[in-house]
Amino acid sequence: MTSLKRLLLAMTMPIILIGCAVPAEDECAVPIAVQILGSGGPIAEGHRAGSSAVVWISGQAALLVDTGSGAFVRYGESGANFSDHRAILITHFHADHAADLPAILNSGGFAKRSSPLPIIGPSGDTLFPGTKAHLTALFDERDGAFRYLSGYLDGRFGLPKLESTEVDITIEGLQPVIQDQDLMVSAIAVHHGDLPALAYLIEMGSKSVIFAGDQSFLSEKFVEVFRNSKPDILIMHNVIPEGDGQPRGLHRGPGSIGEVAAAIKPRNLVLAHNMERALSHQAEGEAAIRKHYAGPLQVANDLDCFAL
Ligand SMILES: [Zn+2]
């Protein structure tokens, strides 16, 4: 569906589709929706691209959340218009969340966008570069790997300047990063092994979605901050099976996902970042979630839309 078609649908078919059982793509034809572009990663297995999503507001691809490996193709299929983006949000800089950023920006260079583009991501630490250093490594005019796109750092060569914001990962609690009348975005540091990583709360009027990002069970502040917050959608990552060789410092297992959902009480829990090792034990995984959480639960595929 093109973004023009989507805009027309959003204007002419509002509200009545919310809550109805309609095909996944039509779920985007509502005033506000989240579309999962990439529902898998990091292993190249089957048809799933790495983590990425679009938040559609009134038919416009307002936010791009992560740009994982393979997201470039799904981005094109989604009909997102680069000129419509109000910001790009990056949860962390593993390749399955950020590898297609230069590819999508390269594509966006053809959109003739003139307005600056905010990009938000974590600060760095001694092991990983932060958002600004990552962009410099990609686009610096002298040393950047993709120095021909250096206009993204300074607004030259007909490219929109990336206005980068680093979220300080040493601060506990929610940090506001976008505060517009119709769109509020806040970030919170989460524990993902030794990597600076964020989760995001996106609020659009009375609607809200939480992108939990990659996080381990040690992300206690995340649960504390969002307890009983009842977002319309909570997106969590289905990466490891229950109790089976879990790299526990990186991801939550299904039981932990269930505990988080029970605490936060979303209107809908969406599982993304679906790895085969988790999907091959999905029945056990969902049973582990159900020990704690009884609400709606959906497993996302690439390009699935979820209405808010
Ligand atoms: Zn990941």
Side-chain angles (χ1 to χ4, degrees), residues 17-213:
L17 289 178
I18 293 177
C20 297
V22 293
E25 193 188 9
D26 287 346
E27 289 271 335
C28 278
V30 294
I32 302 174
V34 171
Q35 184 171 29
I36 302 297
L37 299 185
S39 63
I43 297 175
E45 49 190 8
H47 58 277
R48 296 175 189 273
S51 277
S52 186
V54 167
V55 178
W56 292 94
I57 303 178
S58 300
Q60 296 196 316
L63 298 172
L64 185 57
V65 184
D66 278 348
T67 53
S69 33
F72 169 82
V73 173
R74 301 290 181 250
Y75 178 86
E77 290 172 316
S78 77
N81 183 340
F82 188 76
S83 296
D84 290 342
H85 300 335
R86 292 169 66 173
I88 296 174
L89 314 178
I90 301 292
T91 61
H92 64 291
F93 285 101
H94 271 154
D96 56 316
H97 295 258
D100 276 8
L101 178 64
I104 288 172
L105 292 175
N106 191 42
S107 169
F110 293 84
K112 302 204 183 324
R113 174 188 179 123
S114 55
S115 58
L117 176 56
I119 180 166
I120 296 150
S123 59
D125 62 13
T126 51
L127 291 172
F128 275 83
T131 303
K132 289 177 193 294
H134 190 93
L135 294 175
T136 299
L138 290 175
F139 303 126
D140 182 79
E141 66 178 330
R142 274 186 300 190
D143 304 319
F146 301 106
R147 62 196 73 171
Y148 75 100
L149 295 173
S150 67
Y152 273 115
L153 295 187
D154 55 23
R156 293 189 296 163
F157 312 123
L159 294 174
K161 184 174 186 225
L162 293 174
E163 290 182 335
S164 57
T165 298
E166 286 194 348
V167 178
D168 185 343
I169 55 148
T170 66
I171 294 177
E172 287 196 332
L174 272 180
Q175 302 180 57
V177 290
I178 297 177
Q179 291 179 290
D180 294 341
Q181 204 174 14
D182 63 332
L183 175 65
M184 308 264 287
V185 179
S186 307
I188 182 170
V190 291
H191 182 267
H192 181 45
D194 56 12
L195 206 74
L198 302 172
Y200 288 100
L201 165 67
I202 299 167
E203 298 170 281
M204 298 145 288
S206 63
K207 304 292 185 183
S208 62
V209 53
I210 294 172
F211 286 85

Side-chain angles (χ1 to χ4, degrees), residues 268-271 282 286 289-290 293 295-299:
N268 192 9
L269 170 63
V270 173
L271 298 181
Q282 192 60 20
E286 290 191 19
I289 291 173
R290 289 301 185 200
Y293 169 75
L297 167 64
Q298 289 177 279
V299 179

